[in-house]
């Protein structure tokens, strides 16, 4: 059996698909991933032994400029991605038995599956984009809701209108070209009534969060058995556990001077620092030997050996740190990151920094809270509740869906 998995987004959108692809392979199925052709993502998928087909522009080319992308950029990118999905996925999905999509509003993926007559699944890594009676929609480019509007039903309707403005014309034009009727609500069309949630239930409970029939599988964790680099091993062995600081794919979004702020905050707590370079290009602030810069390393192994993890609050980093039992300090910047910061604080496994731009003092205070014995003990307790079988659960569900009537276009 052969399955097509697709996404467009940061590493946090790509790595779970690599994990799911491994889960499918473990069950004897083949998986192909369509994803942006950033070198980092291509290397990750190659390491997992998963074939890749490039999709759309690289993410780095969109988000790694000196300033964050604008609304104008979003309205230019949206139809470009729709066109890329119709072209790339149509070819890649030939001979496939199911198509699963995730990442930035994958408009076009369901439509390709519909044309080919294969099941389609929409997966997400949190519940914040799912219409809800409990919380308002997140920020999205386009005409904004009036500040005085508080009716959640109205706010979610206006969110759907913003999605239509971004994707509607391009989606329906491409649907018409392959003989499919138009859709009038792109968001709900993409989401379906039964989206999958690839997140751990302890970290991201789904009950009551949306009226959709969510299928929660657990996180899709990619196994990582890479040894840590020799210099990192030597650094870890040379003293007490250091603080890890990393902001992943946050290039233009990373707080100004975050390397300096984080190093000074860690030193104030008597801790050395492992600084992840990431897309923000974090670098040491002096020649002191208490700071080591690393590139792409095995976080699953590293986080078990650090005193705390300071990060931006991506779903993947939050889950990896939670599994490792490492206390966390989350400095959220955009999208779902404030949610993960709140969950870390609510669970007592770390601290949520108040605001996206820390000072040495404010980050030192958050770090002091995360470094307490009580927080460390709580983090270890919660680590024992994190399920590790999410990729297998999802792989079995996907193969079951693929084995049904191929004319069923959603599951």
């Amino acid at each position: 059996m052969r399955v097509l998995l697709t996404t467009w987004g940061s590493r946090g959108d790509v790595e779970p698909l690599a994990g799911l692809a491994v889960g499918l392979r473990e069950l004897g199925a083949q998986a192909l991933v369509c994803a942006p052709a950033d070198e980092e993502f291509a290397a990750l998928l190659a390491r997992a032994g998963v074939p890749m087909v490039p999709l759309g522009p690289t993410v780095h080319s969109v988000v790694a400029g000196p300033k964050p992308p604008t609304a104008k950029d979003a309205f230019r990118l949206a139809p470009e991605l729709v066109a890329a999905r119709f072209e790339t996925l149509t070819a890649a999905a030939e001979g496939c038995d199911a198509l699963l999509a995730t990442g930035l509003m994958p408009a076009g993926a369901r439509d390709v599956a519909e044309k080919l007559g294969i099941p389609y699944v929409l997966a997400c890594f949190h519940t914040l984009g799912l219409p809800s009676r409990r919380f308002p929609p997140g920020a999205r480019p386009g005409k904004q809701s009036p500040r005085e509007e508080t009716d959640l039903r109205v706010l979610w309707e206006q969110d759907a209108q913003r999605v239509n403005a971004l994707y509607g014309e391009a989606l329906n034009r491409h649907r018409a070209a392959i003989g499919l009727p138009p859709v009038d609500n792109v968001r709900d069309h993409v989401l379906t009534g039964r989206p999958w949630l690839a997140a751990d239930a302890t970290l991201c409970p789904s009950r009551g969060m949306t009226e959709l029939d969510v299928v929660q599988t657990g996180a899709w964790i990619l196994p990582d058995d890479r040894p840590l680099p020799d210099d990192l091993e030597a650094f870890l062995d040379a003293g007490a556990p250091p603080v890890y600081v990393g902001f992943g794919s946050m290039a233009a979004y990373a707080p100004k001077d975050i390397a300096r702020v984080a190093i000074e905050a860690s030193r104030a707590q008597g801790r050395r620092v492992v600084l992840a370079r990431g897309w923000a290009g974090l670098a040491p602030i002096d020649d002191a030997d208490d700071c080591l810069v690393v590139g792409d390393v095995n976080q699953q192994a590293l986080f078990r050996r650090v005193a705390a993890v300071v990060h931006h609050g991506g779903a993947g980093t939050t889950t990896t740190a939670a599994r490792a039992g490492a206390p966390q300090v989350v400095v959220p910047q955009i999208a779902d990151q404030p949610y993960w910061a709140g969950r870390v604080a609510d669970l007592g496994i770390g601290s949520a920094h108040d605001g996206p731009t820390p000072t040495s003092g404010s980050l030192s205070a958050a770090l002091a809270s995360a470094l307490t014995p009580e927080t460390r003990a709580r983090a270890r307790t919660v680590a024992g509740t994190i399920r590790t079988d999410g990729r297998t659960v999802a792989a079995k569900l996907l193969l079951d869906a693929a084995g049904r009537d191929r004319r069923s276009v959603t599951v």
Side-chain angles (χ1 to χ4, degrees), residues 368-380:
S369 176
L371 290 170
T372 64
E374 294 79 11
T375 302
R376 166 67 69 176
R378 177 61 180 162
R380 288 176 174 168

Side-chain angles (χ1 to χ4, degrees), residues 3-7 17 20 89 97-103 106-114 118-124 189-198 213-217 220 393-404 408-411:
V3 176
L4 179 63
L5 311 175
T6 184
T7 190
L17 289 193
L20 178 56
L89 300 184
D97 300 287
L99 192 161
L100 180 144
T102 187
R110 177 177 180 177
D111 316 276
V112 169
E114 182 179 351
I118 60 176
Y120 161 82
V121 175
L122 182 283
C124 51
H189 171 75
V190 169
L191 294 178
T192 78
R194 200 165 187 255
W196 291 10
L197 176 59
D213 181 19
V214 173
V215 178
Q216 187 156 17
T217 65
W220 303 342
V393 171
K396 289 179 178 178
L397 287 171
L398 194 52
L399 293 181
D400 180 60
R404 298 183 207 145
S408 176
V409 296
T410 61
V411 298

Side-chain angles (χ1 to χ4, degrees), residues 294-388:
V294 297
D296 177 28
V297 299
N298 182 346
Q299 291 184 340
Q300 295 172 25
L302 175 59
F303 287 2
R304 292 195 292 267
R305 300 175 62 181
V306 300
V309 176
V310 178
H311 64 101
H312 56 299
T317 308
T318 303
T319 302
T320 302
R323 283 185 64 220
Q328 306 181 47
V329 177
V330 183
V331 187
Q333 302 300 304
I334 59 170
D336 58 317
Q337 295 166 14
Y339 170 81
W340 295 108
R343 288 302 296 158
V344 164
D346 290 346
L347 288 167
I349 60 176
S351 305
H353 185 268
D354 184 14
T357 310
T359 64
S360 300
S362 68
L363 189 57
S364 177
L367 195 52
S369 176
L371 290 170
T372 64
E374 294 79 11
T375 302
R376 166 67 69 176
R378 177 61 180 162
R380 288 176 174 168
T381 297
V382 170
T385 72
I386 307 298
R387 293 185 59 171
T388 59

Side-chain angles (χ1 to χ4, degrees), residues 262-278:
I263 291 171
E264 290 176 352
S266 299
R267 287 172 174 170
Q269 296 300 318
R271 295 287 178 170
R272 301 176 302 148
V273 180
V274 172
L275 191 66
R277 188 176 297 109

Side-chain angles (χ1 to χ4, degrees), residues 111-396:
D111 316 276
V112 169
E114 182 179 351
K115 181 65 176 179
L116 296 176
I118 60 176
Y120 161 82
V121 175
L122 182 283
C124 51
F125 305 116
H126 53 80
T127 60
L128 301 188
L130 307 180
S132 175
R133 295 177 184 175
R134 295 186 57 177
F135 53 81
R140 203 186 298 274
K143 183 180 179 181
Q144 299 304 297
S145 301
R147 291 182 178 274
E148 62 273 14
E149 183 60 73
T150 59
D151 187 316
L152 292 179
R153 181 184 57 82
V154 173
L155 291 173
W156 280 104
E157 288 176 353
Q158 292 170 345
D159 176 71
Q161 292 168 11
R162 284 189 285 274
V163 175
N164 280 349
L166 282 162
Y167 298 95
E169 189 279 330
L171 181 69
N172 283 325
R173 175 163 40 84
H174 285 280
R175 282 178 62 87
I178 59 174
L180 296 177
V183 298
D184 58 7
N185 186 321
V186 175
R187 184 196 66 198
D188 292 357
H189 171 75
V190 169
L191 294 178
T192 78
R194 200 165 187 255
W196 291 10
L197 176 59
D200 183 79
T202 297
L203 298 176
C204 184
S206 61
R207 187 180 298 275
M209 298 303 289
T210 177
E211 287 66 56
L212 300 181
D213 181 19
V214 173
V215 178
Q216 187 156 17
T217 65
W220 303 342
I221 298 168
L222 176 66
D224 194 344
D225 58 2
R226 291 175 296 167
L228 297 177
D230 290 345
D231 60 341
L232 178 54
E233 281 282 4
F235 185 80
L236 293 170
D237 290 341
V243 170
Y244 170 94
V245 179
F247 280 75
S249 303
M250 295 290 99
Y253 296 100
K256 184 179 180 181
D257 295 331
I258 186 58
R260 176 187 60 79
V261 168
I263 291 171
E264 290 176 352
S266 299
R267 287 172 174 170
Q269 296 300 318
R271 295 287 178 170
R272 301 176 302 148
V273 180
V274 172
L275 191 66
R277 188 176 297 109
W279 283 10
L282 304 188
I285 58 175
D286 53 37
D287 295 329
D289 62 3
D290 64 346
C291 179
L292 178 72
V293 178
V294 297
D296 177 28
V297 299
N298 182 346
Q299 291 184 340
Q300 295 172 25
L302 175 59
F303 287 2
R304 292 195 292 267
R305 300 175 62 181
V306 300
V309 176
V310 178
H311 64 101
H312 56 299
T317 308
T318 303
T319 302
T320 302
R323 283 185 64 220
Q328 306 181 47
V329 177
V330 183
V331 187
Q333 302 300 304
I334 59 170
D336 58 317
Q337 295 166 14
Y339 170 81
W340 295 108
R343 288 302 296 158
V344 164
D346 290 346
L347 288 167
I349 60 176
S351 305
H353 185 268
D354 184 14
T357 310
T359 64
S360 300
S362 68
L363 189 57
S364 177
L367 195 52
S369 176
L371 290 170
T372 64
E374 294 79 11
T375 302
R376 166 67 69 176
R378 177 61 180 162
R380 288 176 174 168
T381 297
V382 170
T385 72
I386 307 298
R387 293 185 59 171
T388 59
D389 63 346
R391 72 173 184 272
T392 302
V393 171
K396 289 179 178 178

